[in-house]
Coordinates of all heavy atoms in Angstrom, one line a residue:
G172 N 111.8 92.7 85.7 CA 111.5 91.3 85.3 C 110.0 91.2 85.0 O 109.3 92.1 85.0
V173 N 109.6 89.9 84.9 CA 108.2 89.6 84.6 C 107.3 90.0 85.8 O 107.7 89.7 86.9 CB 108.0 88.1 84.2 CG1 106.6 87.8 83.9 CG2 108.9 87.8 83.1
I174 N 106.2 90.7 85.5 CA 105.4 91.2 86.5 C 104.7 90.1 87.3 O 104.5 90.2 88.5 CB 104.4 92.2 85.9 CG1 103.8 93.1 87.0 CG2 103.3 91.5 85.1 CD1 103.0 94.2 86.5
K175 N 104.2 89.0 86.6 CA 103.5 87.9 87.3 C 104.5 87.1 88.1 O 105.5 86.6 87.6 CB 102.8 87.1 86.3 CG 101.6 87.8 85.7 CD 100.7 86.9 84.9 CE 99.5 87.6 84.4 NZ 98.6 86.8 83.6
G176 N 104.3 87.0 89.4 CA 105.2 86.2 90.3 C 106.4 86.9 90.7 O 107.3 86.3 91.3
G177 N 106.5 88.2 90.5 CA 107.7 89.0 90.8 C 107.5 89.7 92.1 O 106.8 89.4 93.0
L178 N 108.3 90.8 92.2 CA 108.3 91.6 93.5 C 106.9 92.1 93.8 O 106.5 92.0 95.0 CB 109.3 92.8 93.3 CG 109.3 93.8 94.4 CD1 109.8 93.3 95.7 CD2 110.0 95.1 94.0
G179 N 106.2 92.7 92.9 CA 104.9 93.2 93.2 C 104.0 92.2 93.7 O 103.2 92.4 94.6
S180 N 104.0 91.0 93.1 CA 103.2 89.9 93.6 C 103.6 89.5 95.1 O 102.7 89.3 95.9 CB 103.3 88.7 92.7 OG 102.9 88.9 91.4
A181 N 104.8 89.5 95.4 CA 105.3 89.2 96.7 C 104.9 90.3 97.7 O 104.5 89.9 98.8 CB 106.8 89.0 96.7
V182 N 104.9 91.5 97.3 CA 104.4 92.6 98.1 C 102.9 92.5 98.4 O 102.5 92.6 99.5 CB 104.8 94.0 97.5 CG1 104.1 95.1 98.3 CG2 106.3 94.2 97.5
L183 N 102.2 92.2 97.4 CA 100.7 92.0 97.5 C 100.4 90.8 98.5 O 99.6 90.9 99.4 CB 100.1 91.7 96.2 CG 99.8 92.8 95.3 CD1 99.4 92.4 93.9 CD2 98.7 93.7 95.9
E184 N 101.2 89.7 98.4 CA 101.0 88.6 99.3 C 101.3 89.0 100.7 O 100.5 88.7 101.6 CB 101.8 87.4 98.9 CG 101.4 86.7 97.6 CD 102.3 85.6 97.2 OE1 103.1 85.1 98.0 OE2 102.3 85.2 96.0
F185 N 102.4 89.7 100.9 CA 102.8 90.1 102.2 C 101.7 91.0 102.9 O 101.3 90.8 104.0 CB 104.1 90.9 102.2 CG 104.5 91.4 103.6 CD1 105.2 90.6 104.4 CD2 104.1 92.6 104.0 CE1 105.6 91.0 105.7 CE2 104.5 93.1 105.3 CZ 105.2 92.3 106.1
M186 N 101.2 92.0 102.1 CA 100.2 92.9 102.6 C 98.9 92.1 103.0 O 98.4 92.3 104.0 CB 99.9 94.0 101.5 CG 101.0 94.9 101.2 SD 101.5 95.8 102.7 CE 103.1 96.5 102.1
A187 N 98.5 91.2 102.1 CA 97.3 90.4 102.4 C 97.5 89.5 103.6 O 96.6 89.5 104.5 CB 96.9 89.6 101.2
D188 N 98.6 88.9 103.7 CA 98.9 88.0 104.8 C 99.0 88.7 106.2 O 98.8 88.1 107.2 CB 100.2 87.2 104.6 CG 100.1 86.2 103.5 OD1 98.9 85.9 103.0 OD2 101.1 85.7 103.1
N189 N 99.3 90.0 106.1 CA 99.4 90.8 107.4 C 98.3 91.8 107.6 O 98.5 92.7 108.5 CB 100.8 91.4 107.3 CG 101.9 90.4 107.5 OD1 102.2 90.0 108.6 ND2 102.5 90.0 106.4
G190 N 97.2 91.7 106.9 CA 96.1 92.5 107.1 C 96.2 94.0 106.6 O 95.4 94.8 107.1
Y191 N 97.1 94.2 105.7 CA 97.2 95.6 105.1 C 96.4 95.5 103.8 O 96.4 94.5 103.1 CB 98.6 96.0 104.9 CG 99.5 95.9 106.1 CD1 100.6 95.0 106.2 CD2 99.2 96.8 107.2 CE1 101.4 95.0 107.3 CE2 100.0 96.7 108.3 CZ 101.1 95.8 108.4 OH 101.9 95.8 109.5
A192 N 95.9 96.7 103.4 CA 95.1 96.7 102.2 C 95.4 97.9 101.3 O 94.5 98.6 100.9 CB 93.6 96.7 102.5
P193 N 96.7 98.2 101.0 CA 97.0 99.4 100.2 C 96.6 99.0 98.7 O 96.5 97.9 98.3 CB 98.5 99.5 100.3 CG 99.0 98.2 100.6 CD 97.9 97.5 101.4
Q194 N 96.3 100.1 98.0 CA 96.2 99.9 96.5 C 97.6 99.7 96.0 O 98.5 100.5 96.2 CB 95.5 101.1 95.9 CG 95.4 101.1 94.4 CD 94.9 102.4 93.9 OE1 94.6 103.3 94.6 NE2 94.9 102.5 92.6
V195 N 97.8 98.6 95.2 CA 99.2 98.3 94.7 C 99.1 98.3 93.2 O 98.3 97.6 92.6 CB 99.7 97.0 95.2 CG1 101.1 96.7 94.7 CG2 99.8 97.0 96.8
K196 N 100.0 99.1 92.6 CA 100.2 99.1 91.1 C 101.5 98.5 90.9 O 102.6 98.9 91.4 CB 100.2 100.6 90.6 CG 100.5 100.7 89.2 CD 99.5 100.0 88.3 CE 99.9 100.2 86.8 NZ 99.1 99.5 85.9
R197 N 101.5 97.4 90.1 CA 102.7 96.7 89.7 C 103.1 97.1 88.3 O 102.3 97.1 87.4 CB 102.5 95.2 89.7 CG 102.1 94.7 91.1 CD 101.8 93.2 91.2 NE 100.7 92.9 90.2 CZ 100.5 91.8 89.5 NH1 101.4 90.9 89.6 NH2 99.5 91.7 88.7
I198 N 104.4 97.5 88.1 CA 104.9 97.8 86.9 C 106.1 96.9 86.6 O 107.0 96.7 87.4 CB 105.4 99.3 86.9 CG1 104.2 100.3 87.1 CG2 106.1 99.7 85.5 CD1 104.6 101.7 87.3
G199 N 106.1 96.3 85.4 CA 107.1 95.4 85.0 C 106.9 94.8 83.6 O 106.0 95.3 82.9
V200 N 107.6 93.8 83.3 CA 107.5 93.2 81.9 C 106.2 92.4 81.9 O 106.0 91.5 82.8 CB 108.7 92.3 81.6 CG1 108.5 91.6 80.3 CG2 110.0 93.1 81.7
P201 N 105.3 92.6 81.0 CA 104.0 91.8 80.9 C 104.3 90.4 80.6 O 105.3 90.0 80.0 CB 103.2 92.6 79.8 CG 104.2 93.2 79.0 CD 105.4 93.6 79.9
D202 N 103.3 89.5 80.9 CA 103.4 88.1 80.6 C 102.9 87.9 79.1 O 101.9 87.2 78.9 CB 102.5 87.3 81.6 CG 102.7 85.9 81.5 OD1 103.8 85.4 81.0 OD2 101.9 85.1 81.9
E203 N 103.7 88.4 78.2 CA 103.4 88.3 76.8 C 104.6 88.5 76.0 O 105.6 89.0 76.5 CB 102.3 89.3 76.3 CG 102.6 90.7 76.6 CD 101.4 91.7 76.4 OE1 100.4 91.4 77.0 OE2 101.6 92.7 75.8
F204 N 104.6 88.2 74.7 CA 105.8 88.5 73.9 C 106.0 90.0 73.8 O 105.2 90.7 73.5 CB 105.6 87.9 72.5 CG 106.8 88.1 71.6 CD1 107.9 87.3 71.7 CD2 106.8 89.1 70.6 CE1 109.0 87.5 70.9 CE2 107.9 89.3 69.8 CZ 109.0 88.4 69.9
V205 N 107.3 90.3 74.0 CA 107.7 91.7 73.9 C 108.6 91.9 72.7 O 109.6 91.1 72.6 CB 108.4 92.2 75.2 CG1 108.9 93.7 75.0 CG2 107.5 92.1 76.4
E206 N 108.3 92.8 71.8 CA 109.1 93.0 70.6 C 110.6 93.3 71.0 O 110.9 93.7 72.1 CB 108.6 94.2 69.8 CG 107.2 93.9 69.3 CD 107.1 92.9 68.2 OE1 108.1 92.7 67.5 OE2 106.1 92.2 68.1
H207 N 111.5 93.1 70.0 CA 112.9 93.5 70.2 C 113.0 95.0 70.1 O 112.3 95.7 69.4 CB 113.8 92.8 69.2 CG 113.8 91.3 69.4 ND1 114.6 90.7 70.3 CD2 113.1 90.3 68.8 CE1 114.4 89.4 70.2 NE2 113.5 89.1 69.3
G208 N 114.1 95.5 70.7 CA 114.3 97.0 70.6 C 115.4 97.3 71.6 O 115.9 96.5 72.3
S209 N 115.7 98.6 71.6 CA 116.7 99.1 72.6 C 116.1 99.1 74.0 O 114.9 99.0 74.1 CB 117.2 100.5 72.2 OG 116.1 101.4 72.4

């Protein structure tokens, strides 16, 4: 799904709220128009 406000964002919030500081790379659909395709 969309990367902004998705799972990765929730994981980042959880880590910050609980004092963890891992480097987090979020992969997902960008917040921009995505061309049609298979």
Side-chain angles (χ1 to χ4, degrees):
V173 181
I174 197 168
K175 290 188 177 181
L178 170 68
S180 297
V182 169
L183 280 168
E184 288 178 19
F185 178 88
M186 295 297 169
D188 290 349
N189 288 280
Y191 304 117
Q194 176 187 353
V195 178
K196 172 64 180 175
R197 298 175 302 145
I198 298 173
V200 179
D202 191 22
E203 57 191 49
F204 181 77
V205 178
E206 296 291 331
H207 293 279
S209 68

